[in-house]
Amino acid sequence: MNGFEKQELETQGMMSKLFGSKPSQNALVEINNFLAESTKATELTAAIVSNFVKTWSAKFDSSNIEYRSSMYRKVADHVYLTAQSKDDPVFEESRHLAQVLELPENLQRLADNGAKKAAYFARCRQIIDGEETLPINDINTIFGYDYEDGYDIRVQVFHNYFNKKFDEIAEQQRFSPDEEAALREICAKLDIPYEFKPNIQNALDKYRYLWSAENAPLGDIKVDFPLNNGEICHAAAQQAGFCEHKTIEKEDNYFELTRRLEIDETISFKGEKIEHPHFTEEVTAVVDIGYLFLTNQRVIYLSNKMARVVELSDLDNANLSVNIIYFTQKDGESIAIKFNDDVAEVMFAIFKRILNERQ
């Protein structure tokens, strides 16, 4: 039987032979070995057990209750892993073994509960792997579970599987419709909702948008401003920040207060105010918030205050730096648009597709 392996009998020592005692543990080893060579637990009859017990001068008591419980648990595991209905004849094997091993009912229930949880987990995983022939509702019936009884286990099985799958998705940073459909199908088979923690859902959304930006058909977005002949708007983003390079002046106000005041030559005093040295810094600052449109002919920025248009034919190159896309024209001028992090990657992926399809 599955789960049983043959064990060696304990040899009888010289002192045992001298006093006529026998290693009574061998009675349980004999039972174990018999079950290891059997195909069903019902082959172990009460007469066979009685013979083993008598041969080794053993008895069933508290000293060997754990050994008997472990043998019963192995059979219970087999029963719940293989049962095809609640009336399956395989259940007779555990009932029969409990009787011939004289196992108390409370220990039977304890072993059955452990076997049910382990087998339920395994069979749910087999559903994911396509190795289980029964649907989850039939398995619930066999185990005597309602929807809630096995819910936590089903969710755990799914997330154990999903965690490995998510590592693959995160490594590729892409989440295809086929992958999502497969995950939804698994959840349907396990009868659990398709839901994730907010941080995981946000990551999946990002990877889905990136996949679509690179693979889905480019969109045809309707806009409320005139387009050129044959011009199609493929993408639009709001909260786009128009950036400019600026040189700003900052005050170096780093100083340390000590019990002894040391005067730095770079510090000047005006009245009671200490004036610290100044320095300049180059920054890319957002000066306006509006909309960015990507068409098959132009890059268009519009807001209530300004409008900027760059013909794709005039572009020299474009690059993404963190969450800012820089569009550089052949004449050396450039515009920089800042987005939310996820939006920047998606818009840049769509822009690269537009350029590729123009070639």
Side-chain angles (χ1 to χ4, degrees), residues 322-341:
V322 188
N323 60 348
I324 299 177
I325 302 178
Y326 295 89
F327 301 96
T328 304
Q329 302 177 76
K330 295 175 182 177
D331 60 7
E333 292 188 13
S334 67
I335 65 171
I337 308 296
K338 185 176 183 179
F339 305 88
N340 293 330
D341 293 348

Side-chain angles (χ1 to χ4, degrees), residues 90-109:
V90 74
F91 282 106
E92 180 57 30
E93 295 189 37
S94 57
R95 287 191 290 265
H96 172 80
L97 189 66
Q99 182 177 2
V100 298
L101 293 183
E102 301 177 12
L103 198 65
E105 288 187 7
N106 65 313
L107 295 183
Q108 293 179 45
R109 289 193 298 270

Side-chain angles (χ1 to χ4, degrees), residues 75-86:
V75 173
D77 286 338
H78 166 72
V79 167
Y80 285 104
L81 281 171
T82 59
Q84 298 298 299
S85 70
K86 64 179 181 179

Side-chain angles (χ1 to χ4, degrees), residues 197-222:
K197 293 181 179 179
N199 61 321
I200 298 297
Q201 187 61 60
N202 291 338
L204 290 176
D205 290 342
K206 172 184 175 180
Y207 300 147
R208 184 191 302 109
Y209 296 148
L210 286 172
W211 186 95
S212 298
E214 295 176 344
N215 298 278
L218 289 172
D220 183 358
I221 300 174
K222 303 305 177 184

